[in-house]
Structures are given as C-alpha cells and as structure tokens.
Amino acid sequence: MQTGPNLLTEMTDRSREVFRRVVEGYLTTGEPVGSRTLTRTLSEHISAATIRNVMQDLEFLGLLDSPHVSAGRVPTQAGLRLFVDGFLEMGRVAEADRERIDATLTQNDQDVTALLDHVGSALSALTRGASIVLSPKHESAPIRHIEFVSLSADRALVVLVFADGQVENRLFHPPPGQTPSSMREAANFLNAMAEGKTLEELRRTMRAEIDRHRQEIDSLARELVESGLAVWENAGQSQERLMVRGRANLLEAATEADVDRIRSLFDDLERKRDIAEFLELAEEGDGVRIFIGSENKLFSLSGSSLVVSPYMNAERKIIGAVGVIGPTRLNYGRVVPIVDYTAQLVGRMVSDRGRG
C-alpha cells in the first residue's frame, strides 16, 4: 500500500477534497462524516452516491474507515498522518494565546522549575490536552555551588545551585559518624573544583582528585562525597525532570473504553519509565514533531497523539522539550504553532537564566 507523497500525487482533485473534508469534519466534531453532509460543503455539486464511491476508494487505500455499517467515515491513523503531512494549514498563534504563554515566563521571582511548571499548566489550559515539559538536563548545566546539610544522624541534604538559577535539594543517607566538620570539609573540597563544571565533569574531576589526594582528606568526608554523588546519579529520586499537567483533560474527552488505557499511559509517565524517550524523539528532527497513535510506543496503547518540540540553550544544544498529549483528533493547526512558540520562548528564558 502506498503512502505519503505517492498517494497524494495519485489522488484526483475530487478525492483530495473529499478526504480533506472528512478529516476536517472529524477533527472538529469527533463524529463520522457522511456523504450527505459532504454534498452541502464540497466545491463541486456531486451526488451523495458519487461521494460514497469516492469514500470507498479512500477506504480501500487505508485512509478512511467506517466504524459502523451505513455510517459515515473517519480517518485512519494513516489518513491522519497523510492529512498532517500534506493538507494541514498551520495558523498563527492567537494574540490571547501568546499573551497567556508570555505571562508564565515573566514571573522573575520564580526559579526555573516553578516557571516550567507554570508553562505546563498554561499549555494544558490552552490546548485542553495534557502537557509535558521536560526540564533542562542538569547533567549539562554548570554548577555554581554545593552544600551538605545534616538533618539527623542518618539523613542529610545535598543542595545543588546551578548557573541557570535552579536549585535542587536531594535527600540521602550519609555514612555513619558524620560530623558538621566533615560535611563542611566535603563541601569545601567539592566547591573548590565545582564552579563552571557540569555534574559529569565534576564527577570525573573529583574521582581523579580523590585518587591523587586520598590521604589528604578525612576518610569520613571522602565517604560523604562518594555517597552524595551516588545519590545524584540516581535520576528522579526527589527532583523530577518530567512535568505532566492536565491529565483530567484527556480523561474527560475519552470514551469509557479509552479511560483505562489513558490511565495506564499516565501511570507510565508518572513513574518516569520513559523520560528519555521524549528528548530522543525531539532530537531526531528540528522543530515540532507530531506522533499519531502507534507511531510512538508510548502512545500505541492509549490511541493518543503527541505534539512535541525541543528547546535549546544559548549554544543551540537541545536540553529539554515541551509538548501536548491529546486525542488523535487534536486541532493540529492550532496546537502545533502554540507548542513551537512555547519551545522557543522557554529556550530563550533558560538561556537568559544561564547567563545570569
């Protein structure tokens, strides 16, 4: 079966218009589109019987489907892909939508995590879908300061201050016998070499320094340093990179049969089992990418679509992503420009914070 550009070139003007009208009608109403409805909207006057023949041809090509006998047609996943790639007209971001997004990034008293949380809430509210925001990967963000804080005999806090202004607090269990003095020594040891380095660079430097000067630092402080960095390497213990907002929007729009599948999707997201997947998807191409249904393994069970765009730092390196999850009948023409605009804005904001 042919797909994509080959199908487009072989479709007649009439079949293209019928296909486009069916998809647009379905995206607007969520209901099958029948031949009698199309007789009132097509540019040429043709009979309902002729339209039914065209729709049967489109169904044979795998672009349309009829959910019930004698009912109208709905686009298949392949049909939606063809529509998105070949027929979709992107609108501009409406002024009201632009102002709503801009407002989330003007709260200068908030740290990066809080700002990104506001961005996710705004995206969810604007699109009536669920938003995802993948926050900057701090493995690649320079460190400004590190501090260890003792909370009790068996609990301590690692405070990481990054150059972009974000602060991460990580709880961990220190080795037995730590004292305030040994914690200060460990912090001083790290801060002497930490500024300007990423966590990965600091880990390499620290291990080399410990190898060279193992006898120069207190053994308890050394255990604390090694224990602390082990905690930082365990992703997602207390600082989650993936923010999901608006799952109720999907559940409200879903049929009863879809609810369990969508809940399963969000359970996966909230357990952060596939966080890296979003960034990998975004890195495979420039700008906004659209994944429909089973095109992405994360959504093959839920029958959802993902519109996602990476955002970059000042060095044009991809460090995170923003996106919207919704039903396959998303208003792609409106959602895609919103996601694209938001990603560009977030990238500038993160870059400005990094220079601060």
Side-chain angles (χ1 to χ4, degrees), residues 81-97:
R81 170 50 61 190
L82 181 65
F83 177 81
V84 166
D85 291 342
F87 292 83
L88 185 62
E89 296 180 2
M90 300 297 178
R92 294 174 59 86
V93 181
E95 188 63 29
D97 294 341

Side-chain angles (χ1 to χ4, degrees), residues 49-67:
T50 301
I51 294 175
R52 283 195 293 273
N53 289 334
V54 173
M55 291 197 295
Q56 285 174 355
D57 291 340
L58 293 170
E59 189 171 351
F60 177 77
L61 291 174
L63 300 177
L64 299 183
D65 190 20
S66 49

